[in-house]
Amino acid sequence: MGINSIALGFPDENGDRLAFYTPLSGYNQYSVSTRILKDKSKSPDHFSPEDIQLVGSRGKGHQSLKTIIDHTYGVMFYSEVQSNQLRCWNIKKPLTSENMGVVFDSDTFVFGAQMFIDSEGFLWFQSTAIPIIFGSDQPLDLNKVNNRFFRIKVSEAIRGTVCE
């Protein structure tokens, strides 16, 4: 199963955060407190079921590849494998299909691999066809654009979505 992506939530009164994580092989979102992860007396073999929380499910067909949280708006952005969309979820709301919005949907957005938010509030995200090419029999076409980078202000990305 393996953890595919981790995004940190807001700090609590002790400075600990929820670490939201996503297994690539599923549709669920989980969280664990960084307090648990920093506890040296525990190791992955000694976590108890109460330490790990199921946040919710994105539902069938909403497998996430990469996640990041914008702390200005409390919004998680994630790239979906099946739909080739960049989507959002306001972490202050329950994780349900009604609370997931589409931020970017384009045929040019294939395998959203990387994301970051810069100090000016821009969300940057990358599309790369390379993993798809390497997993197939088709050769790498050097005349074709296989990587793209996109940029949008976070405020503009969530405007008009359920993530506002």
Side-chain angles (χ1 to χ4, degrees):
M1 175 152 108
I3 294 175
N4 188 57
S5 185
I6 299 173
L8 295 175
F10 295 104
D12 65 15
E13 62 277 354
N14 299 317
D16 296 313
R17 300 169 181 253
L18 282 181
F20 293 91
Y21 66 93
T22 306
L24 182 59
S25 61
Y27 308 117
N28 294 336
Q29 182 76 54
Y30 298 91
S31 70
V32 61
S33 172
T34 56
R35 177 184 49 78
I36 302 292
L37 299 176
K38 292 184 282 186
D39 186 345
K40 291 184 177 20
S41 69
K42 294 191 175 201
S43 70
D45 296 335
H46 296 98
F47 289 150
S48 69
E50 297 82 39
D51 294 336
I52 309 297
Q53 301 298 315
L54 173 63
V55 175
S57 177
R58 291 187 177 90
K60 190 174 182 180
H62 296 284
Q63 200 172 3
S64 172
L65 181 62
K66 180 70 179 159
T67 59
I68 190 167
I69 293 176
D70 174 80
H71 291 101
T72 300
Y73 296 96
V75 172
M76 177 184 286
F77 294 96
Y78 58 95
S79 58
E80 282 190 349
V81 177
Q82 293 92 344
S83 68
N84 289 331
Q85 293 178 330
L86 184 66
R87 297 179 63 101
C88 62
W89 162 58
N90 187 318
I91 65 172
K92 298 170 195 147
K93 298 178 182 179
L95 180 56
T96 62
S97 59
E98 296 82 22
N99 290 331
M100 298 184 310
V102 176
V103 172
F104 188 77
D105 185 5
S106 171
D107 291 339
T108 61
F109 186 62
V110 179
F111 202 81
Q114 296 295 326
M115 280 189 281
F116 73 91
I117 298 170
D118 68 19
S119 61
E120 296 178 13
F122 282 98
L123 170 66
W124 294 77
F125 50 103
Q126 175 197 15
S127 168
T128 181
I130 301 301
I132 296 166
I133 294 167
F134 287 147
S136 74
D137 292 334
Q138 65 178 229
L140 179 62
D141 183 349
L142 298 178
N143 296 312
K144 184 178 177 185
V145 176
N146 292 301
N147 282 293
R148 290 179 172 86
F149 292 90
F150 303 91
R151 179 183 88 150
I152 187 171
K153 274 284 210 188
V154 169
S155 58
E156 293 173 29
I158 63 173
R159 185 176 298 132
T161 71
V162 297
C163 303
E164 272 189 295

